[in-house]
Amino acid sequence: MPRIEIARQAGACYGVERALKMARQASEEAAQPVHTLGPLIHNPLVVSELESAGVRPADTPEEAGEGTLVIRAHGVTPKVISRAQDLGLAVIDATCPYVKRVHHAAERLAKAGYQVIVVGESGHPEVQGILGHAGEGAHVVSTVEDLDNIELARKVGVVVQTTQTLAHLRAVVAELLGRVEELTVVNTICEATSERQLAAAELAARADAMIVIGGRSSGNTRRLAEICTERCQNTHHIEDADELAAAWFDGAELIGVTAGASTPADQIERTVRAISQVVGA
Ligand code: SF4
């Protein structure tokens, strides 16, 4: 019978739990509609649970129209918050405090005259929010090669999207060192991410099959899946237990399970129960 092991650190992080709690509380207390600006987290199951509790995603403050607008853990630009307030919406800012730390670092660097480089996934909502705090000349660098398309200033300050890997930050910083006169780096990678990545890597290296649970649009879950695939080719990224296939576990002695920062604990437990049924453990 195969053994099923959950990574030491897996699933919903502090920022996501906090945002969920704030949104649920808002729906209980508010007399008017409650919207989140975009899906609260990259997890379709949780988003539909929230919809049943009356919390719906809106793409823009204008679409929310009235009532309460919850800003998700990823954060937004200051302009978005003022636009929502100008529309008369009650804003609940559930931006994760660790994301706020990136905003503050970017603001500090921009004020001190640095050109801010945001190491992160171009177009990701968290990165968009950070850019709004990073001053005029700020740029996003997704790959080291992106640096070739940027006119770098003399003084460059680096912040990093919370879900990036240290290895990627190191690569960008190493390249920048040879290109600019003055370089300040604020490592704003969130520990929840690195802890989950380390635990996933350690488990994947021992596992015969590895299941990574989380939304397909969740950057941190996708990254966990990449890390696991490097160490265990038999890695599968699923959103929910009904995607499991018995063939993945043929001959497996150890099945590893991990989950992205937007996967609540009950979803992990459900998946573990489903794997047990599939393999008869
Ligand atoms: S991964 Fe870290 S920064 Fe992102 S929401 Fe969770 S605790 Fe906050």
Side-chain angles (χ1 to χ4, degrees):
M1 251 350 135
R3 207 159 54 76
I4 303 169
E5 186 176 323
I6 303 173
R8 302 194 295 282
Q9 307 272 353
C13 60
Y14 161 73
V16 166
E17 292 287 5
R18 179 176 172 271
L20 272 173
K21 203 166 142 197
M22 287 168 88
R24 286 185 180 130
Q25 199 172 336
S27 78
E28 282 162 22
E29 289 168 3
Q32 286 189 303
V34 177
H35 286 92
T36 59
L37 192 57
L40 193 64
I41 57 174
H42 290 301
N43 185 318
L45 290 182
V46 176
V47 170
S48 71
E49 253 170 55
L50 282 169
E51 285 198 24
S52 319
V55 182
R56 292 193 172 73
D59 286 337
T60 59
E62 288 75 12
E63 192 186 315
E66 56 169 3
T68 302
L69 186 68
V70 181
I71 304 299
R72 56 190 177 177
H74 286 322
V76 290
T77 63
K79 271 191 195 148
V80 171
I81 301 220
S82 21
R83 216 167 79 220
Q85 284 165 340
D86 290 348
L87 287 164
L89 292 160
V91 175
I92 294 180
D93 188 357
T95 306
C96 174
Y98 298 122
V99 175
K100 288 255 190 207
R101 199 161 66 96
V102 194
H103 293 176
H104 295 150
E107 275 164 13
R108 219 171 49 234
L109 289 167
K111 268 198 200 124
Y114 288 90
Q115 176 190 36
V116 178
I117 296 291
V118 183
V119 178
E121 198 182 325
S122 179
H124 187 285
E126 182 190 321
V127 172
Q128 301 286 97
I130 297 168
L131 277 177
H133 293 80
E136 289 287 300
H139 287 277
V140 181
V141 167
S142 301
T143 65
V144 174
E145 290 70 41
D146 287 348
L147 288 172
D148 295 340
N149 307 319
I150 297 172
E151 202 175 318
L152 292 165
R154 201 179 57 78
K155 282 171 68 170
V156 165
V158 175
V159 294
V160 53
Q161 182 184 4
T162 56
T163 49
Q164 292 286 304
T165 62
L166 191 58
H168 185 44
L169 174 63
R170 275 206 186 105
V172 175
V173 168
E175 186 59 33
L176 274 170
L177 269 175
R179 295 195 188 200
V180 299
E181 250 176 64
E182 191 181 328
L183 184 64
T184 295
V185 181
V186 187
N187 178 0
T188 47
I189 293 173
C190 166
E191 275 180 20
T193 308
S194 48
E195 282 166 4
R196 277 156 184 72
Q197 289 171 348
L198 278 176
E202 187 277 320
L203 180 55
R206 292 184 284 121
D208 305 300
M210 194 71 202
I211 302 298
V212 183
I213 317 159
R216 282 189 223 291
S217 57
S218 155
N220 77 79
T221 311
R222 284 206 306 264
R223 205 150 289 121
L224 274 182
E226 278 167 26
I227 289 170
C228 292
T229 306
E230 280 164 18
R231 290 154 180 90
C232 171
Q233 297 247 307
N234 190 16
T235 292
H236 305 273
H237 178 175
I238 60 165
E239 279 191 349
D240 201 17
D242 57 10
E243 292 169 50
L244 293 168
W248 298 344
F249 309 117
D250 276 352
E253 282 177 20
L254 176 63
I255 301 169
V257 177
T258 187
S262 47
T263 304
D266 59 349
Q267 208 174 329
I268 302 178
E269 283 159 23
R270 247 191 350 257
T271 306
V272 168
R273 278 200 301 275
I275 298 173
S276 309
Q277 277 168 4
V278 169
V279 299

